[in-house]
Amino acid sequence: MAVPFPDPASETDPAARLLAEAAPGDNVPPLSVSQLSAAIKRTVEDGFARVRVRGELSGAKRAASGHFYAALKDDNALIDMVMWKGQAGRLAFRPEDGIEVIATGKLTTYPGRSKYQLVVDTLEVAGEGALMLLFEKLKARLGAEGLFDRERKQPLPVLPRVIGVVTSPTGAVIRDILHRLADRCPTRVIVWPVLVQGDGAAAQVAHAVRGFDGLERGGAVPRPDLVIVARGGGSIEDLWAFNEEVVVRAIAECRIPTISAVGHETDTTLADYAADVRAPTPTAAAEMAVPVRAELQAQLATWGGRMIAAATRHRALAGERLTALARHLPRREALYAPQRQRLDDSGDRLARSQRQRLTMVAERLATRGAALRPALLARRWDSDRARLEGLGRLLDSLDPRALLSRGYAMVRDAGGAIVTSADRARDTGHLRLQFADGEVPVVIAVGDAPPPTSSPRPARKPPAPPPKRGQGELF
């Protein structure tokens, strides 16, 4: 392989040299990339330690870490900016693309990408024009979510018992509201004190609205029937807290009817769009909140009079109608005449039928009485007595006690049942012989054993025979 000879030109041209060599008289050593980047960083930060830059936001983005990144641009240039989490969390507005702002901070470099950027401490809207642009952008975005829709609006209560007011406790606004409520219709007012402008005002207002909405009925602090969010007039910058998204969402989501009374009649905030009713002034909000008590009393009196008049008129009309109907009814005598005549006829027929019935009964009694002659009664009496005597004699003859008096005995077992056969007597063993004058126990002997003897008992005098029954015993 052929090796090329060195070019003579490289000996005089440094760019054509292969190896780096220190030139005669050169006392600047070569710097590393990090050294050069660090030197540039120091130079930039020393020269631009505090700057204010005006420009339009582009590529606005809040990272998950909380840091805010964007670019500031004008017609001819663009510079990156970063706002760390601590400063970004204190912003008084939500930065969006297209908003002209003034950023205050320091210029620095980012060696990792050979870029310079602005580290921002404060970010402000550049003038009322830019602020109105931010207002319109936020209004359009929240309106697209339906936060301002008419369907979301709630009607105000006719006569609220408790009114919650979100405002500054030291301003003239709360005094105007309380004075106006006392003039029209005194009611209970609960004031939730808040800042109405400046840092933290929006967060306090939103917290107050949500706090009222979170109260439970029957708790230590009564839940308001109506909430008024109010402050006095001012510039758009002074009223900006009521344009913050956190306030707008709190008012739109509040379940209690809300009146927005921010600024004067010509002032308009996004809170006015989110509230159920917008009042031109705080005093007007108090007038919307409650009716005039005297007017209510007059209205009630009017309604009471109308109700009494209606009832009286109805009663009078009913009386007239009854009188008119009564004219068409027949007279009482004409209504009762047929019934009276029918009653008289029925009474006459009843008397005649009773007389006829009594006559028939008298005739039947006379007929049957004639058949009751004394001779017939005597024969019937003798016949019945003879029959009765015969039945008495038959009863005496069938009386077992009469047989016992003639020497017969009745055999019973131990249970008292009558024994009627020898086999039954042998099977029973123990018997009782009933005589006319008493009973004798008997034991049946088994086999050839003689029957047990018992000492003879003295004979008892037989009872006298029952007397014959005569005719006198029947009575």
Side-chain angles (χ1 to χ4, degrees):
M1 171 187 261
V3 179
F5 289 94
D7 187 357
S10 62
E11 298 179 358
T12 59
D13 187 2
R17 283 185 290 189
L18 180 61
L19 296 177
E21 297 178 359
D26 188 1
N27 59 356
V28 180
L31 301 175
S32 67
V33 175
S34 297
Q35 290 173 333
L36 180 59
S37 297
I40 295 173
K41 182 178 180 66
R42 286 193 299 272
T43 302
V44 171
E45 290 182 351
D46 292 342
F48 301 94
R50 184 70 175 176
V51 295
R52 285 171 57 85
V53 181
R54 180 169 183 159
E56 180 182 322
L57 287 177
S58 176
K61 178 182 66 174
R62 189 182 292 271
S65 61
H67 306 319
F68 175 69
Y69 297 93
L72 292 174
K73 68 176 183 177
D74 57 16
D75 294 339
N76 302 313
L78 180 145
I79 182 173
D80 290 335
M81 61 159 283
V82 60
M83 198 171 190
W84 306 126
K85 178 180 179 181
Q87 289 77 16
R90 296 196 297 268
L91 282 175
F93 67 99
R94 178 174 176 173
E96 297 183 358
D97 290 353
I99 303 300
E100 188 175 9
V101 297
I102 295 178
T104 303
K106 66 178 180 179
L107 194 63
T108 184
T109 63
Y110 182 50
R113 294 184 182 177
S114 298
K115 296 177 63 177
Y116 63 91
Q117 61 183 6
L118 186 64
V119 179
V120 178
D121 296 329
T122 60
L123 193 65
E124 303 165 312
V125 179
E128 291 190 1
L131 203 58
M132 288 304 300
L133 179 60
L134 179 61
F135 175 88
E136 294 298 334
K137 284 180 172 291
L138 186 59
K139 176 183 174 183
R141 181 166 60 84
L142 298 180
E145 296 182 21
L147 267 63
F148 307 147
D149 290 350
R150 186 175 298 276
E151 291 75 13
R152 297 173 60 97
K153 308 299 183 183
Q154 305 178 76
L156 301 183
V158 177
L159 188 61
R161 296 183 178 180
V162 180
I163 298 177
V165 180
V166 179
T167 189
S168 172
T170 59
V173 170
I174 186 61
R175 292 195 298 270
D176 293 342
I177 292 176
L178 293 177
H179 179 72
R180 197 57 178 158
L181 290 176
D183 287 344
R184 292 175 64 85
C185 186
T187 187
R188 184 172 183 179
V189 178
I190 301 176
V191 180
W192 195 304
V194 296
L195 293 175
V196 292
Q197 72 180 66
D199 294 341
Q204 290 189 17
V205 172
H207 178 71
V209 173
R210 296 188 187 277
F212 276 136
D213 193 27
L215 293 176
E216 298 292 337
R217 294 198 179 277
V221 179
R223 178 182 173 88
D225 301 314
L226 178 67
V227 173
I228 299 176
V229 180
R231 70 145 287 160
S235 65
I236 185 173
E237 184 178 0
D238 296 336
L239 304 178
W240 190 256
F242 297 90
N243 291 322
E244 290 289 341
E245 183 175 349
V246 63
V247 173
V248 176
R249 291 190 181 277
I251 293 176
E253 295 169 1
C254 184
R255 294 168 296 176
I256 303 174
T258 307
I259 298 177
S260 175
V262 179
H264 297 303
E265 187 170 358
T266 57
D267 298 324
T268 303
T269 64
L270 295 181
D272 298 333
Y273 292 99
D276 297 305
V277 175
R278 174 186 180 267
T281 62
T283 303
E287 295 176 354
M288 294 178 179
V290 295
V292 178
R293 182 173 57 179
E295 294 179 356
L296 279 180
Q297 293 173 342
Q299 186 66 45
L300 288 175
T302 301
W303 288 345
R306 292 174 59 186
M307 183 173 61
I308 294 174
T312 304
R313 183 170 59 254
H314 179 73
R315 185 175 59 186
L317 291 176
E320 293 176 0
R321 190 178 300 111
L322 180 62
T323 303
L325 292 175
R327 295 193 186 100
H328 298 284
L329 293 176
R331 294 186 176 277
R332 183 177 58 184
E333 291 75 9
L335 289 174
Y336 292 164
Q339 283 74 16
R340 287 175 175 174
Q341 186 175 359
R342 189 178 300 111
L343 179 61
D344 293 340
D345 294 342
S346 299
D348 294 340
R349 295 208 313 267
L350 178 61
R352 290 195 299 271
S353 65
Q354 288 179 343
R355 289 194 296 270
Q356 184 180 1
R357 179 69 175 171
L358 289 175
T359 302
M360 292 174 60
V361 170
E363 293 176 354
R364 188 179 300 123
L365 181 60
T367 302
R368 294 190 178 183
L372 295 176
R373 294 189 297 274
L376 293 177
L377 290 176
R379 284 197 300 271
R380 181 66 179 266
W381 181 276
D382 294 338
S383 174
D384 291 341
R385 184 176 61 182
R387 183 181 178 188
L388 182 60
E389 291 176 351
L391 291 175
R393 290 190 295 273
L394 179 62
L395 179 62
D396 292 338
S397 64
L398 295 178
D399 188 359
R401 291 176 297 180
L403 295 175
L404 296 179
S405 64
R406 292 197 293 269
Y408 293 95
M410 186 180 297
V411 183
R412 297 180 183 273
D413 58 12
I418 297 177
V419 178
T420 59
S421 65
D423 293 338
R424 174 75 183 280
R426 284 190 292 271
D427 294 340
T428 302
H430 295 276
L431 303 174
R432 289 184 298 167
L433 299 180
Q434 182 178 359
F435 296 92
D437 57 349
E439 291 184 356
V440 176
V442 177
V443 178
I444 302 300
V446 181
D448 297 333
T453 60
S454 60
S455 59
R457 300 178 63 182
R460 300 180 63 180
K461 183 178 180 179
K468 294 183 179 180
R469 298 172 181 171
Q471 181 178 358
E473 295 178 359
L474 296 177
F475 299 94

